[in-house]
Amino acid sequence: MTVERFSVYKCHFREDVAQHSYLTALYAMILADLEGRRGRRVDMEKLLRMALLHDAEESRTGDIHHPFKHQDPAFTKTINDRALQWFNDLMLGLPDSLAHTYIGVRKAEQGYTTEAILVKAADKLEALLWAYEEYLLGNEQVRDARIVEDILSKLDRIRLPSVKAIVAETRKKMKNS
Amino acid sequence: MTVERFSVYKCHFREDVAQHSYLTALYAMILADLEGRRGRRVDMEKLLRMALLHDAEESRTGDIHHPFKHQDPAFTKTINDRALQWFNDLMLGLPDSLAHTYIGVRKAEQGYTTEAILVKAADKLEALLWAYEEYLLGNEQVRDARIVEDILSKLDRIRLPSVKAIVAETRKKMKNS
Amino acid sequence: MTVERFSVYKCHFREDVAQHSYLTALYAMILADLEGRRGRRVDMEKLLRMALLHDAEESRTGDIHHPFKHQDPAFTKTINDRALQWFNDLMLGLPDSLAHTYIGVRKAEQGYTTEAILVKAADKLEALLWAYEEYLLGNEQVRDARIVEDILSKLDRIRLPSVKAIVAETRKKMKNS
Amino acid sequence: MTVERFSVYKCHFREDVAQHSYLTALYAMILADLEGRRGRRVDMEKLLRMALLHDAEESRTGDIHHPFKHQDPAFTKTINDRALQWFNDLMLGLPDSLAHTYIGVRKAEQGYTTEAILVKAADKLEALLWAYEEYLLGNEQVRDARIVEDILSKLDRIRLPSVKAIVAETRKKMKNS
Amino acid sequence: MTVERFSVYKCHFREDVAQHSYLTALYAMILADLEGRRGRRVDMEKLLRMALLHDAEESRTGDIHHPFKHQDPAFTKTINDRALQWFNDLMLGLPDSLAHTYIGVRKAEQGYTTEAILVKAADKLEALLWAYEEYLLGNEQVRDARIVEDILSKLDRIRLPSVKAIVAETRKKMKNS
Amino acid sequence: MTVERFSVYKCHFREDVAQHSYLTALYAMILADLEGRRGRRVDMEKLLRMALLHDAEESRTGDIHHPFKHQDPAFTKTINDRALQWFNDLMLGLPDSLAHTYIGVRKAEQGYTTEAILVKAADKLEALLWAYEEYLLGNEQVRDARIVEDILSKLDRIRLPSVKAIVAETRKKMKNS
């Protein structure tokens, strides 16, 4: 899990897949609990399993630069299908029948259930907080690549009140900085 | 979560609280699923919440050297009580009524339920795998401090078949290395 | 001596106990010589021994976060007493009768002699220069925790002309930055 | 050019794309001069341009794990075609008509001319020397993944006397270590 | 080639001799191609060999601080003569008759041919881009030492249109920042 | 004081001038106290001042590789004279009349008094312990350069019983490792 994220940028504070996955799981739990308070039903076990496994195969595939991987939907699908296959191979190294459970979790994470959306939101949120810190420290590469703005626009598509609030607050802070 | 663990030793591969917590949660999930296959009942949501929060306050208290903290039960209790209080303060910074839930999880983690034991096992296991890697690389400080041996003897007290197997295998490998 | 200081913060430039102790000894010598020029009597041998040993046991206890350790006088005393005991144990590993000399030096450093005050001033000054550099580089965690301001207020209590001058100059620079 | 190579492994000594490319160019020059002494004709300008540009786009695509990228010829081609396209886009950011020259160089590097073979040999050789150092230091991940053995078998396919000699010597050293 | 450059300064982003040499060779090629488009004749093979070897002996002599080495012409010459001698010794470790070729290249690099001037320009340019990045990030040591300004004034003496353009642009950006 | 020592070698554990100077001062104090117990007279203030200042100018001159600097006595003297001059310039930046005191200390350190010999012994000892650790970890560059053996042979010339004992013990350990 020592693969560094955002490896194409010079960064003040590097972050690897394990650190990212931990914070994603933590944020997913908090977002889910906030949405739960608002009455939305969340299967917490499913959510936490998803968050822990959502990037696990990256420890074997390396850090493919996000805009390179996402240059067009067909190419993204080609890479993702193979990545998923590598996730499966990785799981098949586990004892007993655990592999099938975890492969199921990983597949479900790519769907549109409440749990999957919350994990996606936490995943983006974690990237946002990392990128915003680099932005504040004057990281020119991160600024020029408009990473913060790009993540914010992706978070705009997530219709969860808890996420909306954080996005609005970050935008406000950026204007004043 | 950038506090480095085992900070008193020169290490080949450093590990911070976030990396440790991620792997602890992952191993806890795997151990629990293995025990589940054997028929033991595990509350998975409870277990994963515990694992994610089990060291959270260390990001605020720093890395207190394990043998220093554990020199005698009264001293350990003094430090742990304060650490728990700092965990509570940290949680009270969270929105809404989440704090109480998380303080409850953290307290439960110090008990003797199946979930608490599994998290403890995963916590020690993660330290074992880190220390064993340093051991293999010839880290004299880790060898002289007998960290691997110490963690193994702590794991001996945990009566879970899934843990027993890993401990036995590590002991065997160490003899042959 | 590889224990990193200020480990709970993300830092641009990390500093370990050896680096801190070197600069503390150097600054203590300079402050003492400046005060000496003004007519104050300083036992230089005693001062330098104190400076070299003032944090030596931290290489064994780890980096306990300063506000955690100093949350109330009773707790601070509990930790400090144990730290001193570990310093003693560390010294007892030395050949001959050196241990007693060094334990005496360490005890004297906690008193209120001119030498002890100068070492304390150098200790704080070193932390100030480190923190002020992080502050200038826009380190948000260091700014939010008000570390520079906190160290300056502690230095205010030290009535040495050489220290007063540096504190005043730093405050002036901070206003203009 | 700060993208780290071999990012999926914990490494004693990390190496980024710039360091790798420098050594590749240096080794390519030396191999070419050795082969030149033996009477083979090498276009040195072409060779050095190739070596300098052979991984340039990796600074934008990230470190895709070698076995992931090379899992089957069709997949490798899909990735390589896109990588080449990104190389082209990167070059189009350069002033004047340089882009076409450099795109031509990059294309030629994928052919089977003497120059292209020498650059490929230097590229593998650089990886070999890095991996062999990790191997000697007891890096278990590098040993288990059989990276040294894998690179040696690839170098076996290159029929240059200068390369054969180095491969034979490394194999001999490995047997004796 | 792991000797770090600018080692007397605390830096956000460190750079070693290999990284510097790679970028110098790349920039030298680009500058030469730009000047070639303007009609100037450049021996590209000679230029690229020079760039690859221009700092090679630093991997054995260490990073002597630039202002220390350049304090007066006689002292600079004393150091440079010995450095050249170490370069020669390093080359004599190479197989066959390569040494003489490379020693010739290294000597030619210290002359005033078009190729030597282009390598010198690329060498300074690489340092400029590194230093300017530290400048933008608020590196006080780099600012106080006026490194950017110093390199710019050295680049002023190089009468190549391609270099003039970059120098002018950097000066303009610095005024507006 | 952030200049790294032994910069031409890839190292497991790097050490900068501040860390080296701290340990040198600490070891000098211990050696002096041991010799004091045996009846030798040591001026402790003088010794500790010498140890703290013995490498201070390296923070401005960079890490000149030891064998390069010491290739012949005339060259070593040329470099050392200039280094001393830079030390003086550095001191002249200090307030009041401190400069003259410190320049005197630095000059005395290059003589043959008991204090100077003890500092030299501590300086070498610190390097020995660093190099021996790299040696044990299988650092091929440190082994091939025979750094440990070289430092031991230099320590052989120091006729202090406390040093003789450590040298003998290290040699014995090396034979058995």
Side-chain angles (χ1 to χ4, degrees):
Chain A
M1 309 302 288
T2 64
V3 172
E4 304 266 4
R5 284 161 54 84
F6 296 99
S7 63
V8 313
Y9 304 108
K10 282 189 183 178
C11 302
H12 288 86
F13 300 123
R14 289 228 163 264
E15 194 179 66
D16 72 12
V17 174
Q19 291 163 320
H20 163 68
S21 297
Y22 173 69
L23 292 172
T24 297
L26 197 69
Y27 298 165
M29 179 177 79
I30 294 173
L31 290 178
D33 283 331
L34 287 172
E35 296 297 326
R37 296 290 182 277
R38 284 200 176 82
R40 190 183 273 260
R41 275 193 52 124
V42 184
D43 180 336
M44 213 63 173
E45 177 182 341
K46 201 170 143 190
L47 174 104
L48 292 177
R49 284 178 180 273
M50 275 180 185
L52 289 175
L53 295 173
H54 87 286
D55 268 345
E57 84 279 3
E58 282 193 18
S59 67
R60 297 298 169 94
T61 63
D63 176 49
I64 308 176
H65 186 43
H66 191 268
F68 180 73
K69 189 168 150 189
H70 294 265
Q71 49 188 286
D72 68 65
F75 186 68
T76 311
K77 195 179 148 26
T78 307
I79 304 246
N80 276 347
D81 286 355
R82 294 298 174 109
L84 216 60
Q85 214 169 293
W86 276 54
F87 176 86
N88 295 358
D89 292 352
L90 195 63
M91 291 304 116
L92 294 170
L94 282 175
D96 291 295
S97 60
L98 302 182
H100 296 289
T101 310
Y102 298 161
I103 290 169
V105 170
R106 190 75 176 73
K107 225 173 267 170
E109 188 250 319
Q110 302 192 305
Y112 293 93
T113 57
T114 298
E115 291 77 19
I117 289 166
L118 280 162
V119 170
K120 208 145 294 167
D123 183 22
K124 292 293 166 212
L125 211 57
E126 200 282 334
L128 179 72
L129 296 181
W130 173 86
Y132 186 52
E133 190 170 24
E134 293 292 313
Y135 179 97
L136 284 177
L137 288 166
N139 186 321
E140 290 297 306
Q141 294 190 337
V142 164
R143 287 189 178 212
D144 290 354
R146 299 186 62 75
I147 299 177
V148 175
E149 294 82 351
D150 182 53
I151 302 173
L152 282 172
S153 80
K154 273 173 191 145
L155 282 167
D156 277 337
R157 278 175 244 150
I158 294 172
R159 291 162 207 279
L160 296 168
S162 56
V163 173
K164 291 261 166 258
I166 298 166
V167 168
E169 196 189 350
T170 307
R171 283 229 170 78
K172 210 170 112 188
K173 272 197 222 154
M174 281 180 78
K175 257 185 206 150
N176 301 334
S177 79
Chain B
M1 311 301 288
T2 64
V3 171
E4 305 266 4
R5 285 160 55 85
F6 296 100
S7 62
V8 313
Y9 304 109
K10 283 190 184 177
C11 301
H12 288 86
F13 301 123
R14 290 228 163 264
E15 194 179 64
D16 72 12
V17 174
Q19 291 163 321
H20 163 69
S21 297
Y22 173 69
L23 292 172
T24 298
L26 196 70
Y27 299 164
M29 180 177 79
I30 294 173
L31 291 179
D33 284 330
L34 286 172
E35 295 298 324
R37 296 289 182 280
R38 284 200 177 83
R40 189 183 273 259
R41 274 195 53 123
V42 184
D43 179 337
M44 213 61 171
E45 176 182 341
K46 201 169 142 189
L47 173 104
L48 293 177
R49 284 177 179 275
M50 274 180 185
L52 290 175
L53 295 173
H54 86 286
D55 268 347
E57 82 280 1
E58 282 193 18
S59 65
R60 298 297 169 95
T61 62
D63 176 50
I64 308 176
H65 185 44
H66 190 268
F68 181 72
K69 189 167 149 187
H70 294 264
Q71 49 189 285
D72 69 64
F75 186 68
T76 311
K77 193 176 150 24
T78 308
I79 304 247
N80 277 347
D81 286 355
R82 293 299 174 110
L84 217 59
Q85 213 169 297
W86 275 55
F87 176 86
N88 295 359
D89 292 351
L90 195 63
M91 291 303 116
L92 293 170
L94 282 174
D96 292 297
S97 59
L98 303 181
H100 296 290
T101 309
Y102 299 162
I103 290 169
V105 170
R106 190 76 175 75
K107 225 172 269 171
E109 187 250 318
Q110 303 191 305
Y112 294 93
T113 58
T114 298
E115 291 79 18
I117 289 165
L118 280 162
V119 169
K120 209 144 293 168
D123 183 21
K124 291 294 165 212
L125 211 56
E126 200 283 333
L128 178 72
L129 296 180
W130 173 84
Y132 186 53
E133 190 171 23
E134 293 292 312
Y135 179 96
L136 285 177
L137 288 165
N139 187 322
E140 290 297 308
Q141 295 190 336
V142 164
R143 287 189 179 211
D144 290 353
R146 301 186 60 77
I147 299 177
V148 174
E149 294 81 351
D150 181 53
I151 302 173
L152 282 171
S153 79
K154 273 173 192 144
L155 282 167
D156 277 338
R157 280 175 244 149
I158 294 172
R159 290 162 208 277
L160 296 167
S162 56
V163 173
K164 291 259 165 262
I166 298 165
V167 167
E169 196 188 349
T170 307
R171 281 230 170 78
K172 209 169 114 188
K173 274 197 220 154
M174 281 181 77
K175 257 184 207 151
N176 301 335
S177 78
Chain C
M1 310 302 288
T2 62
V3 172
E4 306 266 4
R5 285 162 53 84
F6 296 100
S7 62
V8 311
Y9 304 109
K10 283 189 182 178
C11 302
H12 287 86
F13 301 123
R14 290 228 163 264
E15 195 180 63
D16 72 12
V17 173
Q19 291 163 321
H20 164 68
S21 297
Y22 174 68
L23 292 172
T24 297
L26 196 70
Y27 298 165
M29 179 178 77
I30 295 173
L31 290 179
D33 284 331
L34 287 171
E35 296 297 325
R37 298 289 183 278
R38 285 199 174 83
R40 190 184 273 259
R41 276 195 50 123
V42 185
D43 180 337
M44 213 62 173
E45 176 182 340
K46 202 169 140 189
L47 173 103
L48 293 176
R49 283 178 181 275
M50 274 180 184
L52 289 174
L53 295 172
H54 87 285
D55 269 346
E57 84 279 2
E58 283 193 16
S59 65
R60 298 299 168 94
T61 62
D63 176 49
I64 308 176
H65 186 41
H66 191 268
F68 180 71
K69 189 168 150 188
H70 293 265
Q71 51 188 284
D72 68 66
F75 186 68
T76 311
K77 196 178 147 27
T78 307
I79 304 246
N80 277 346
D81 287 354
R82 294 297 174 109
L84 216 61
Q85 214 169 295
W86 276 54
F87 176 86
N88 295 359
D89 293 352
L90 195 64
M91 292 304 115
L92 293 170
L94 282 174
D96 291 296
S97 60
L98 302 182
H100 297 289
T101 310
Y102 298 162
I103 291 168
V105 170
R106 190 76 176 72
K107 225 174 268 173
E109 188 250 319
Q110 303 192 305
Y112 294 92
T113 59
T114 299
E115 291 77 20
I117 290 166
L118 280 161
V119 170
K120 208 144 295 169
D123 183 21
K124 291 293 165 211
L125 211 56
E126 200 282 333
L128 178 71
L129 296 180
W130 173 85
Y132 186 52
E133 190 170 23
E134 293 293 313
Y135 178 96
L136 284 177
L137 288 165
N139 187 321
E140 291 296 307
Q141 294 188 337
V142 164
R143 288 189 178 212
D144 290 354
R146 300 186 61 78
I147 299 177
V148 175
E149 294 82 351
D150 182 52
I151 302 173
L152 282 171
S153 81
K154 272 173 192 145
L155 282 167
D156 277 338
R157 278 174 243 151
I158 294 172
R159 292 162 207 277
L160 296 167
S162 56
V163 173
K164 291 260 166 257
I166 298 166
V167 168
E169 196 189 348
T170 307
R171 282 229 170 79
K172 210 169 111 188
K173 273 198 221 154
M174 282 181 77
K175 258 185 206 150
N176 301 334
S177 78
Chain D
M1 310 299 288
T2 62
V3 172
E4 306 267 4
R5 285 160 55 83
F6 295 99
S7 62
V8 313
Y9 304 109
K10 283 190 182 176
C11 302
H12 287 87
F13 301 124
R14 290 228 163 261
E15 195 179 63
D16 71 13
V17 174
Q19 291 163 321
H20 163 68
S21 296
Y22 173 69
L23 292 172
T24 298
L26 197 70
Y27 298 165
M29 181 177 78
I30 294 173
L31 290 179
D33 284 331
L34 286 172
E35 295 297 325
R37 296 289 183 280
R38 285 198 176 84
R40 190 183 273 258
R41 275 195 51 123
V42 185
D43 180 337
M44 212 64 174
E45 176 182 340
K46 202 169 139 187
L47 173 103
L48 293 177
R49 283 178 180 275
M50 275 179 184
L52 290 174
L53 295 172
H54 86 287
D55 269 347
E57 84 279 2
E58 282 193 17
S59 66
R60 296 299 168 93
T61 61
D63 177 49
I64 308 177
H65 186 42
H66 190 269
F68 180 71
K69 188 167 148 189
H70 294 265
Q71 51 188 283
D72 68 66
F75 186 68
T76 311
K77 195 177 149 22
T78 307
I79 304 246
N80 276 348
D81 286 355
R82 294 298 174 107
L84 216 60
Q85 213 170 295
W86 275 55
F87 177 85
N88 295 359
D89 292 352
L90 196 62
M91 291 303 116
L92 293 169
L94 283 174
D96 290 296
S97 59
L98 301 182
H100 297 290
T101 310
Y102 297 162
I103 290 169
V105 170
R106 190 75 176 74
K107 226 173 266 170
E109 189 250 316
Q110 303 191 306
Y112 293 94
T113 58
T114 298
E115 291 78 19
I117 290 165
L118 281 161
V119 170
K120 208 144 295 170
D123 183 21
K124 292 292 165 214
L125 212 56
E126 200 281 335
L128 178 72
L129 296 181
W130 172 84
Y132 187 52
E133 190 171 22
E134 293 293 314
Y135 179 96
L136 286 177
L137 288 165
N139 186 322
E140 291 297 306
Q141 294 189 336
V142 164
R143 288 188 177 211
D144 291 352
R146 299 185 62 77
I147 299 177
V148 175
E149 294 81 351
D150 181 53
I151 303 173
L152 281 171
S153 80
K154 272 172 192 146
L155 282 167
D156 278 338
R157 279 174 244 148
I158 294 173
R159 291 162 207 277
L160 296 168
S162 55
V163 173
K164 291 261 165 259
I166 298 165
V167 168
E169 197 189 347
T170 307
R171 281 229 171 79
K172 210 170 112 188
K173 272 197 222 153
M174 281 180 77
K175 257 182 205 151
N176 301 333
S177 79
Chain E
M1 310 303 287
T2 63
V3 172
E4 305 266 2
R5 285 161 55 84
F6 296 98
S7 62
V8 313
Y9 304 108
K10 282 189 182 177
C11 302
H12 288 86
F13 301 124
R14 291 228 162 262
E15 194 180 65
D16 72 12
V17 174
Q19 292 163 320
H20 164 68
S21 297
Y22 174 68
L23 292 172
T24 297
L26 197 70
Y27 298 165
M29 180 178 78
I30 294 173
L31 289 179
D33 283 331
L34 286 172
E35 295 297 325
R37 297 290 183 278
R38 286 200 174 82
R40 191 183 270 260
R41 275 194 51 122
V42 185
D43 181 336
M44 213 62 174
E45 176 182 341
K46 202 170 139 187
L47 174 104
L48 293 176
R49 283 178 181 275
M50 274 180 186
L52 290 174
L53 295 172
H54 87 286
D55 268 346
E57 83 280 2
E58 282 193 18
S59 65
R60 298 298 168 94
T61 62
D63 176 50
I64 308 176
H65 186 42
H66 191 268
F68 180 72
K69 188 168 152 190
H70 293 264
Q71 51 188 285
D72 69 65
F75 187 67
T76 311
K77 196 178 147 25
T78 307
I79 305 246
N80 277 347
D81 286 355
R82 293 300 174 106
L84 216 60
Q85 214 171 294
W86 276 54
F87 176 85
N88 295 359
D89 292 353
L90 195 63
M91 291 304 116
L92 293 170
L94 282 175
D96 291 297
S97 60
L98 302 182
H100 296 290
T101 310
Y102 298 161
I103 290 169
V105 169
R106 191 72 175 74
K107 227 174 266 172
E109 188 250 318
Q110 302 192 307
Y112 294 94
T113 57
T114 298
E115 291 77 20
I117 290 165
L118 280 161
V119 170
K120 209 144 293 171
D123 184 21
K124 292 292 166 212
L125 212 58
E126 200 282 333
L128 178 72
L129 296 180
W130 173 84
Y132 187 52
E133 190 170 23
E134 293 292 314
Y135 180 96
L136 285 177
L137 288 166
N139 186 323
E140 290 298 306
Q141 295 190 337
V142 164
R143 288 188 177 213
D144 290 353
R146 299 187 61 77
I147 299 177
V148 175
E149 294 82 351
D150 182 53
I151 302 173
L152 282 172
S153 80
K154 272 174 192 144
L155 281 167
D156 278 338
R157 279 175 243 150
I158 294 172
R159 291 162 208 278
L160 297 167
S162 55
V163 173
K164 290 260 165 260
I166 298 165
V167 168
E169 197 189 349
T170 307
R171 281 228 171 78
K172 211 168 110 187
K173 272 197 221 153
M174 282 180 76
K175 257 184 207 150
N176 301 334
S177 79
Chain F
M1 309 303 288
T2 63
V3 171
E4 305 266 4
R5 285 161 55 84
F6 296 98
S7 61
V8 313
Y9 304 109
K10 284 188 184 178
C11 302
H12 288 87
F13 301 124
R14 291 226 164 266
E15 193 180 65
D16 72 12
V17 174
Q19 291 164 320
H20 163 68
S21 297
Y22 173 69
L23 292 172
T24 298
L26 197 70
Y27 298 165
M29 179 177 80
I30 295 173
L31 289 179
D33 284 330
L34 286 171
E35 296 298 324
R37 297 288 183 280
R38 285 198 176 83
R40 190 183 273 260
R41 276 194 49 122
V42 185
D43 180 336
M44 213 61 174
E45 176 183 341
K46 203 169 139 188
L47 173 103
L48 292 177
R49 284 178 180 274
M50 274 179 185
L52 290 175
L53 295 173
H54 86 286
D55 268 346
E57 83 280 1
E58 282 193 17
S59 66
R60 298 297 168 94
T61 62
D63 176 48
I64 308 177
H65 185 43
H66 190 269
F68 180 72
K69 189 167 150 189
H70 293 265
Q71 50 188 284
D72 69 64
F75 186 68
T76 311
K77 196 179 148 24
T78 307
I79 304 246
N80 277 347
D81 287 354
R82 294 298 174 109
L84 217 59
Q85 215 170 291
W86 276 54
F87 176 85
N88 295 359
D89 292 353
L90 195 64
M91 291 303 116
L92 293 170
L94 282 175
D96 289 297
S97 61
L98 303 182
H100 297 289
T101 311
Y102 298 162
I103 290 169
V105 169
R106 189 76 176 73
K107 226 173 267 170
E109 188 249 319
Q110 302 191 306
Y112 294 94
T113 57
T114 299
E115 291 78 20
I117 290 165
L118 281 161
V119 170
K120 209 144 295 168
D123 184 22
K124 292 294 165 212
L125 212 56
E126 200 282 335
L128 178 71
L129 297 181
W130 173 86
Y132 187 53
E133 190 170 23
E134 293 292 314
Y135 179 97
L136 285 177
L137 289 165
N139 186 322
E140 290 297 306
Q141 295 190 335
V142 164
R143 288 189 177 211
D144 290 352
R146 299 187 59 77
I147 299 177
V148 174
E149 294 82 350
D150 182 54
I151 302 173
L152 282 171
S153 81
K154 272 172 192 146
L155 282 167
D156 277 338
R157 280 175 244 149
I158 294 172
R159 290 162 208 279
L160 297 168
S162 55
V163 174
K164 291 259 167 261
I166 298 165
V167 168
E169 196 189 348
T170 308
R171 280 229 172 78
K172 210 169 112 188
K173 272 197 223 154
M174 281 180 77
K175 256 185 206 147
N176 302 334
S177 78

